[in-house]
Amino acid sequence: MNTAALPNLAFPGRDKLIAAVDAALAGSDEHAVTAALRNSMCALIRDRDVQLPDCVFDPIDDHYARRELYRSAEHGYSVVAMTWAPGQGTPIHDHCGLWCVEGVWDGELEITQYELLERDGERFRFRAAGGMHAGPGSAGSLIPPHEYHTIANASGDTTAISLHIYKAPMENCSKFQPQSDEWFLRIDSTLKTDNAPA
């Protein structure tokens, strides 16, 4: 592996963030790891020593921004900052089998979980299974198979920033296009990252 090519942006508190993630990975299973990461994420968001790079606060007009800040050569995890302009959000999607911890760094996001009720080939029937209004300092986790959700910035005038730690780089996922009633069609999606200048 060419470790020189891995994303590794400099920003205040970067080493503290990486040390916290590395420590959480000592957990015995995915539930222990993600619980430790949720606690660490909440503390890091409130820690004035940790400041995300300036580029993270620049929204992109036609899509929410995904900027990979760091990828661990040793453990394989990926740290991605997402920038949500007012009204931007995702369709129902999965994480292709990867656990993830997501925290709101700035602004507010609406997160809705979905329960998979039935599957017929590439058609999936979902029902909303609860949602939350998440503000700065809050964090949650997704562990497959309970990974179907949407994220949206419902604000009309405020940008939101979230930080995501994935078990491994999330380069593709399944998105679900509404059909009729509670049925959705699964579509493979390749996820791109936006420029995060060093």
Side-chain angles (χ1 to χ4, degrees):
M1 177 188 300
N2 179 7
T3 57
L6 296 179
N8 188 5
L9 262 68
F11 55 91
R14 172 198 160 280
D15 292 344
K16 184 182 274 192
L17 186 150
I18 292 165
V21 179
D22 286 351
L25 293 175
S28 58
D29 61 28
E30 292 184 334
H31 293 278
V33 168
T34 55
L37 278 175
R38 280 195 313 273
N39 292 334
S40 294
M41 178 86 77
C42 291
L44 288 164
I45 293 168
R46 293 181 173 92
D47 189 333
R48 294 185 184 274
D49 291 341
V50 182
Q51 299 173 33
L52 298 183
D54 290 344
C55 66
V56 165
F57 297 89
D58 293 331
I60 296 175
D61 288 341
D62 63 349
H63 64 278
Y64 67 91
R66 296 180 77 247
R67 296 177 174 105
E68 189 173 23
L69 306 183
Y70 178 76
R71 189 182 301 180
S72 172
E74 180 180 357
H75 302 292
Y77 65 81
S78 172
V79 179
V80 176
M82 296 190 189
T83 311
W84 310 84
Q88 290 180 341
T90 70
I92 299 176
H93 64 283
D94 67 13
H95 280 182
C96 277
L98 300 176
W99 59 252
C100 176
V101 172
E102 305 173 337
V104 179
W105 199 273
D106 202 25
E108 297 181 342
L109 292 170
E110 298 286 342
I111 295 126
T112 305
Q113 296 292 133
Y114 287 85
E115 179 184 357
L116 176 59
L117 302 175
E118 191 176 351
R119 179 177 179 178
D120 178 17
E122 295 302 297
R123 296 174 66 241
F124 290 65
R125 190 163 75 91
F126 290 112
R127 182 170 296 156
M132 66 178 292
H133 183 86
S138 61
S141 58
L142 296 162
I143 301 175
H146 306 290
E147 59 185 312
Y148 302 106
H149 66 294
T150 60
I151 302 176
N153 179 1
S155 170
D157 55 12
T158 305
T159 296
I161 311 296
S162 56
L163 193 67
H164 304 243
I165 300 168
Y166 298 99
K167 178 181 180 180
M170 190 168 133
E171 296 170 339
N172 50 62
C173 72
S174 296
K175 294 180 179 178
F176 298 89
Q177 185 177 66
Q179 298 293 290
S180 59
D181 298 323
E182 298 175 323
W183 286 95
F184 293 76
L185 182 64
R186 188 182 77 82
I187 298 169
D188 288 326
S189 178
T190 299
L191 299 173
K192 299 194 182 337
T193 54
D194 296 292
N195 186 33

